[in-house]
Amino acid sequence: MKVYKFGGASVKSADGVRNLRHIVDGEENLFIIVSAMGKTTNALEAVFTHMQNGRKQEALDEIKRIVEYHDSIISDLWGAPVRIEQVDMLFSQLRNIVIDTTYRASDAELWYDTIVAFGELVSTTVVSQYLNKTGVDNRWIDMRTTFVTNQRHKDAYVDIKASEPRLKEALANTGVGVFVGQGFIGAAPDGTTTTLGREGSDYSAAVVANILDAESMSVWKDVDGVLNADPKIFHDAVKIDALNYLDTIELAYSGAQIIHPKTIKPLQNKNIPLYVRPFGDKSKPGTVINATAPHVELPILIYKRNQVLLTIRSRDFSFVMEEKFAVIFSLLDRFRIKTNLINNSAVDLSLCVEYSWHIDELIKALNAENFNVEKIDNVELLTIRNYNKELYQKYASQQELLVRQSNPTSVRVVLREARF
């Protein structure tokens, strides 16, 4: 069994779905994980935001645009306007949620997960139906019935032990060798839909690979493999031919858009190689991630936008390091806020965190715990691994630095507004 994962950019159009069909041609033992098409997750987040703010008509208008987008892809694939019953049913369910739900702020993450999951449910239905239409017999799998997660909405972990018998049962005695399932989603023990964090489809594919003892996992992307920087920002980016698991985890933790940070553990535990391959040309080898690749010496640049810098100080000037960390990080966990950089002095703790709609709630809770908090919105985080003086001069020294953190091999800086 192999596992292939296709992201939203790969299936954003009918041509993309046709290319997916070309890539899987000839495969007989294959599990395909598919993300939502194009920017559908962003559009569904807008649906949630409208519902969150009581704007039901605006939410329904956004759903109408999402339906039209998918209808255009389906019509192109089938060569004429057609209705796919399962797709129509899913969109009907989504509309009913918006119309019937009495929203409560305490249930924000629950309703977020419930709504955005429709992107993957629809995309996989379209892909599965199209593959069947073009001669690739397959079985559609609802990952909410196979992946048991914890109750942590928006950032759930899969319980692999509990999920294994469910997934294997779903694949048994089906008479087919190709399966299509959703990335990004599962279900909590109470049956509610959960999501695994943005870009969590990589993690979904890795869990499937682990459970099925796959010979390999491949992630198909719009680049030739793993690059040492985002080519849209750093135009001199180059491909890395091979990475080991440890380097990949370190890079993912720093924010590199290589692979989802949760992905590596299920693969490493069973020594399953991961290939990052170009969606546009399946003959190219891409990049392999495994246990034996040498340590990467090439400089790697990782740039993250949409960050918030929090500077936290205890009002009684007690030493933050010694007695306050537990309180601060338990609150970060409660409000589901991801920390990307930690920097401390005797009485200050600076945190560069992902933007979240819970930031102000966190600050209020910290204030109640006798902390003063300074917040700076819209900052950026640049990490240069294996850096040298020339790279630092080129990309960091001329910026407005708010925080600088370095060790002999890496430097990380929080910037007011980067100019590259």
Side-chain angles (χ1 to χ4, degrees):
M1 179 72 74
K2 296 178 183 177
V3 178
Y4 284 179
K5 180 262 176 174
F6 297 91
S10 298
V11 292
K12 67 181 179 182
S13 66
D15 284 343
V17 177
R18 281 188 280 264
N19 193 49
L20 180 155
R21 166 65 177 83
H22 169 67
I23 288 171
V24 306
D25 189 44
E27 298 287 354
E28 296 181 352
N29 292 290
L30 180 66
F31 200 110
I32 304 168
I33 290 288
V34 184
S35 299
M37 291 177 159
K39 299 295 184 182
T40 300
T41 299
N42 292 341
L44 288 166
E45 286 179 338
V47 171
F48 167 74
T49 300
H50 288 313
M51 190 183 86
Q52 192 179 30
N53 291 283
R55 301 188 296 262
K56 292 195 174 185
Q57 187 55 54
E58 288 88 341
L60 292 172
D61 291 342
E62 188 67 44
I63 292 172
K64 181 181 178 182
R65 287 188 284 272
I66 297 170
V67 171
E68 290 171 348
Y69 167 63
H70 287 83
D71 281 350
S72 69
I73 293 175
I74 293 168
S75 296
D76 192 334
L77 290 171
W78 267 257
V82 298
R83 307 307 313 169
I84 297 177
E85 181 181 357
Q86 294 91 330
V87 171
D88 290 344
M89 287 176 58
L90 287 167
F91 281 127
S92 178
Q93 291 171 16
L94 178 58
R95 291 189 197 94
N96 289 338
I97 288 170
V98 168
I99 293 168
D100 297 337
T101 298
T102 301
Y103 176 80
R104 294 192 302 267
S106 59
D107 295 329
E109 280 79 14
L110 167 63
W111 288 116
Y112 173 93
D113 283 0
T114 302
I115 288 171
V116 300
F118 280 89
E120 275 71 17
L121 293 168
V122 172
S123 68
T124 50
T125 300
V126 174
V127 168
S128 176
Q129 294 270 357
Y130 179 72
L131 291 178
N132 277 324
K133 172 183 177 292
T134 57
V136 181
D137 291 340
N138 71 92
R139 175 64 63 89
W140 183 83
I141 304 294
D142 186 341
M143 302 306 288
R144 296 173 300 177
T145 67
T146 62
F147 273 6
V148 181
T149 75
N150 60 0
Q151 200 73 42
R152 187 181 177 89
H153 290 283
K154 284 194 76 183
D155 190 24
Y157 278 82
V158 179
D159 182 335
I160 294 180
K161 185 177 180 180
S163 302
E164 181 173 353
R166 295 192 181 198
L167 181 62
K168 289 184 175 179
E169 182 180 357
L171 273 56
N173 303 315
T174 57
V176 300
V178 177
F179 303 89
V180 178
Q182 308 80 40
F184 182 55
I185 69 174
D190 67 356
T192 55
T193 300
T194 55
T195 63
L196 311 181
R198 288 300 295 262
E199 310 303 326
S201 294
D202 294 343
Y203 176 43
S204 297
V207 172
V208 170
N210 178 287
I211 290 173
L212 301 180
D213 293 309
E215 63 179 86
S216 66
M217 170 181 157
S218 295
V219 176
W220 298 87
K221 300 176 76 72
D222 59 354
V223 290
D224 284 345
V226 175
L227 306 182
N228 72 326
D230 184 343
K232 297 174 185 176
I233 302 171
F234 306 100
H235 302 299
D236 52 356
V238 297
K239 184 171 81 76
I240 302 170
D241 292 330
L243 280 163
N244 60 49
Y245 293 130
L246 181 59
D247 278 344
T248 305
I249 290 173
E250 290 286 350
L251 295 175
Y253 175 78
S254 298
Q257 298 300 306
I258 295 174
I259 207 77
H260 192 277
K262 298 176 185 175
T263 301
I264 299 303
K265 184 175 184 293
L267 300 175
Q268 186 273 338
N269 287 171
K270 291 194 172 180
N271 200 26
I272 299 169
L274 168 61
Y275 296 91
V276 180
R277 303 175 66 182
F279 183 70
D281 187 349
K282 73 174 187 177
S283 67
K284 292 183 177 180
T287 298
V288 61
I289 298 169
N290 58 27
T292 59
H295 173 68
V296 174
E297 303 291 344
L298 187 72
I300 296 174
L301 293 90
I302 305 162
Y303 177 57
K304 291 180 69 67
R305 297 185 175 92
N306 203 27
Q307 305 290 293
V308 178
L309 181 64
L310 302 176
T311 302
I312 304 167
R313 174 178 293 175
S314 179
R315 292 195 188 118
D316 63 3
F317 281 77
S318 59
F319 287 93
V320 173
M321 268 292 289
E322 292 182 356
E323 56 191 63
K324 303 295 185 180
F325 264 26
V327 173
I328 294 169
F329 284 94
S330 67
L331 289 173
L332 287 164
D333 182 67
R334 182 201 302 177
F335 292 107
R336 315 288 176 85
I337 294 172
K338 180 184 176 184
T339 304
N340 292 318
L341 179 142
I342 303 168
N343 195 67
N344 68 281
S345 67
V347 294
D348 286 345
L349 179 67
S350 293
L351 303 174
C352 183
V353 303
E354 300 279 352
Y355 170 78
S356 162
W357 65 65
H358 293 305
I359 290 284
D360 290 336
E361 295 174 61
L362 168 68
I363 292 173
K364 184 177 179 180
L366 287 167
N367 291 156
E369 293 288 346
N370 205 34
F371 292 105
N372 290 326
V373 184
E374 176 187 347
K375 178 181 74 167
I376 304 177
D377 290 311
N378 299 315
V379 301
E380 297 153 359
L381 176 62
L382 174 65
T383 302
I384 309 176
R385 297 179 64 85
N386 304 324
Y387 81 107
N388 52 45
K389 182 179 179 181
E390 291 73 25
L391 275 174
Y392 185 80
Q393 290 290 333
K394 183 175 182 179
Y395 291 114
S397 67
Q398 305 303 313
Q399 313 287 349
E400 182 181 352
L401 304 185
L402 300 172
V403 177
R404 183 183 187 277
Q405 189 179 85
S406 64
N407 61 41
T409 60
S410 299
V411 63
R412 310 188 77 196
V413 289
V414 180
L415 312 173
R416 177 81 70 173
E417 183 177 0
R419 298 178 301 278
F420 298 135

